[in-house]
Amino acid sequence: LLRLTKHWSESGSDFLELDLRKEKHLAISRFLHQSILLKLDWCKPQELEIKAQGNFHENWNFEWSPDQEMTLIQAAIHASTIEDAIYYYVLDLLEQSNDFISLAHTLEHGLKANLDKLWPMISDKINLLSIKSNEVESLCALIRPLISTISYGNLYQMDTKILEKIINQIIPKIILEFGTQCSFIKGDKAKRMLKCLDLISTFFLHSENIEYHQLWKDELINNSNLESIHPLVRGKIWYKILEDKYLSEDEFITELEYQLLNISDAQKTAYWIEGFMYQSTSFYLMQDFSLTLINHWISQLEEIKFKEVLPLLRRSFSELNTTEILRIKTKLRQQSNTNQASPIHLFLDPERTKQIETMLSNLQ
């Protein structure tokens, strides 16, 4: 009926676009979400862009393997219908798991599978866990699936009040705990908190709650000046502050000058730059004065410290596109040509300059 047989074979096509405004496509979507709840890995939804969350489209990838037939047979042992088999698996999950991510994704698939009796149960479990938890990473894992599920539920006139209650419960916790949980942490944890910061930003793309916006603005500004915040996160905070126009570019230059005064702990400064450029454009760092400051800072580093920060800087600038890299190289050459007798030029080491130019060339 749904004509998905061609996807359940080794020679089948591996991609499908669905328009959920079409009745048949909506039926296919619900069946595929049911397949996921049955632990069948033959289909996987593509993650849509943030701004596309909750619209009428889904894209699916398919990858068939003989193991899927065995999984299907095992599911049949527990029940005689798809709905009852899913119900069995979900009850087991609710008993055994306190993992926010698993529960949130099960909630999302349960709603999109049109299994009404499932998702209120999962919502209650998530709600209970979120009340008890203040752990930012775990709570942030709920943001994207909750937004997607609420948007989907609103499209199909489903009652999503419990989900809205959960997200309104966790967002203030996340905002107020964010700075504390970014303080006195190591690099690996800081990288995970960068992703949390992006997830919080995802929420504000969908929310018009003025109170939460003001709370987040105040926390970002407060945390931007805390030395205890890991420099990777602090750099990203400064980018968000500029992007949302919470502070001026003059204040940014003051912060950048402060960061680049740190010669003794060059790695800390390099982390700040990496955080600032994480999944963002280099617009502010490409301004003439910013480039001059960074160039001056690099030129003053001792050889050991330079080698220490080079991998971090390489990683930071590797995310830029070719056009941006060429603009930076052009600006640096122009500065070099117009400031032949400047203090900056006198500090430059020919061998080090060659290494930087080679690095930039390799990034193109």
Side-chain angles (χ1 to χ4, degrees):
L1 180 64
L2 298 179
R3 297 184 179 178
L4 294 174
T5 307
K6 62 182 179 181
H7 298 289
W8 189 270
S9 64
E10 291 178 278
S11 59
S13 57
D14 60 355
F15 181 73
L16 182 64
E17 294 184 44
L18 297 177
D19 182 345
L20 304 185
R21 290 168 293 187
K22 299 177 181 178
E23 187 176 345
K24 182 180 177 181
H25 283 206
L26 181 59
I28 290 172
S29 169
R30 288 172 173 172
F31 176 74
L32 295 177
H33 285 289
Q34 290 174 8
S35 296
I36 291 176
L37 292 170
L38 281 173
K39 302 182 180 181
L40 294 171
D41 293 331
W42 73 298
C43 58
K44 292 182 180 178
Q46 285 187 353
E47 189 171 284
L48 298 174
E49 294 295 326
I50 289 173
K51 293 180 182 178
Q53 290 285 352
N55 66 15
F56 288 98
H57 296 276
E58 287 182 350
N59 297 331
W60 291 81
N61 290 319
F62 295 87
E63 186 175 351
W64 181 90
S65 74
D67 293 342
Q68 305 309 318
E69 294 186 4
M70 291 300 300
T71 303
L72 192 58
I73 292 170
Q74 290 171 356
I77 295 173
H78 303 298
S80 57
T81 67
I82 291 176
E83 290 81 2
D84 288 344
I86 292 172
Y87 190 67
Y88 171 85
Y89 283 132
V90 170
L91 285 179
D92 183 63
L93 176 68
L94 292 176
E95 268 187 46
Q96 303 295 330
S97 177
N98 290 326
D99 178 57
F100 277 114
I101 297 177
S102 298
L103 290 167
H105 285 295
T106 303
L107 171 69
E108 183 178 0
H109 293 304
L111 184 75
K112 294 179 179 180
N114 198 34
L115 299 175
D116 294 343
K117 69 177 182 179
L118 287 182
W119 70 277
M121 298 163 46
I122 308 169
S123 300
D124 288 341
K125 177 69 177 280
I126 293 174
N127 186 43
L128 181 63
L129 291 175
S130 66
I131 291 172
K132 297 178 179 179
S133 176
N134 287 322
E135 214 283 314
V136 168
E137 276 190 77
S138 297
L139 294 174
C140 279
L142 291 172
I143 292 176
R144 191 181 290 271
L146 280 177
I147 289 173
S148 178
T149 308
I150 290 170
S151 299
Y152 186 95
N154 289 338
L155 285 176
Y156 294 97
Q157 289 77 54
M158 298 174 177
D159 185 359
T160 59
K161 288 181 181 176
I162 180 64
L163 306 182
E164 292 167 6
K165 176 184 175 183
I166 294 171
I167 204 161
N168 285 320
Q169 181 174 276
I170 68 173
I171 290 299
K173 279 188 184 182
I174 290 170
I175 293 173
L176 294 174
E177 288 286 335
F178 184 78
T180 301
Q181 295 187 28
C182 290
S183 298
F184 307 109
I185 57 175
K186 295 184 178 180
D188 290 343
K189 172 77 171 179
K191 289 176 183 177
R192 298 198 298 272
M193 296 308 288
L194 282 184
K195 294 179 180 178
C196 289
L197 201 157
D198 280 343
L199 288 170
I200 300 169
S201 299
T202 300
F203 168 78
F204 285 112
L205 288 174
H206 295 265
S207 171
E208 297 179 356
N209 187 304
I210 296 174
E211 182 182 353
Y212 292 164
H213 273 269
Q214 185 61 46
L215 183 62
W216 182 230
K217 174 183 176 180
D218 293 343
E219 285 301 303
L220 283 178
I221 293 174
N222 290 338
N223 291 330
S224 69
N225 295 312
L226 294 181
E227 287 293 332
S228 60
I229 301 285
H230 193 282
L232 196 64
V233 180
R234 190 170 167 185
K236 181 63 175 179
I237 286 174
W238 266 95
Y239 184 86
K240 292 301 300 179
I241 284 174
L242 285 171
E243 184 180 47
D244 295 332
K245 297 181 172 58
Y246 294 158
L247 293 176
S248 68
E249 289 188 30
D250 287 342
E251 289 169 300
F252 161 67
I253 291 297
T254 300
E255 171 68 12
L256 183 60
E257 287 179 319
Y258 170 75
Q259 292 295 333
L260 296 175
L261 283 173
N262 190 357
I263 301 297
S264 60
D265 192 353
Q267 193 170 46
K268 181 179 178 182
T269 302
Y271 270 128
W272 189 97
I273 295 171
E274 182 181 3
F276 188 90
M277 297 179 67
Y278 174 76
Q279 293 187 351
S280 61
T281 69
S282 62
F283 175 79
Y284 296 104
L285 287 185
M286 285 195 298
Q287 303 308 300
D288 289 344
F289 191 63
S290 300
L291 282 177
T292 301
L293 288 174
I294 295 172
N295 193 20
H296 193 189
W297 171 72
I298 292 174
S299 69
Q300 292 184 87
L301 294 177
E302 297 176 0
E303 184 175 354
I304 294 177
K305 292 187 181 298
F306 173 75
K307 290 180 178 178
E308 190 177 283
V309 302
L310 186 59
L312 294 175
L313 294 174
R314 181 192 294 271
R315 187 168 63 207
S316 302
F317 285 88
S318 67
E319 296 186 9
L320 302 182
N321 61 44
T322 303
T323 302
E324 289 176 317
I325 292 171
L326 288 174
R327 285 179 62 191
I328 290 174
K329 290 174 68 175
T330 301
K331 284 178 177 289
L332 288 174
R333 286 186 180 127
Q334 288 173 347
Q335 288 180 6
S336 178
N337 292 335
T338 57
N339 296 286
Q340 293 295 324
S342 69
I344 295 174
H345 179 72
L346 294 174
F347 277 108
L348 291 177
D349 180 274
E351 185 60 32
R352 186 176 296 177
T353 302
K354 184 178 178 181
Q355 290 184 46
I356 295 174
E357 289 182 346
T358 301
M359 179 187 75
L360 289 172
S361 298
N362 290 337
L363 294 175
Q364 295 182 32

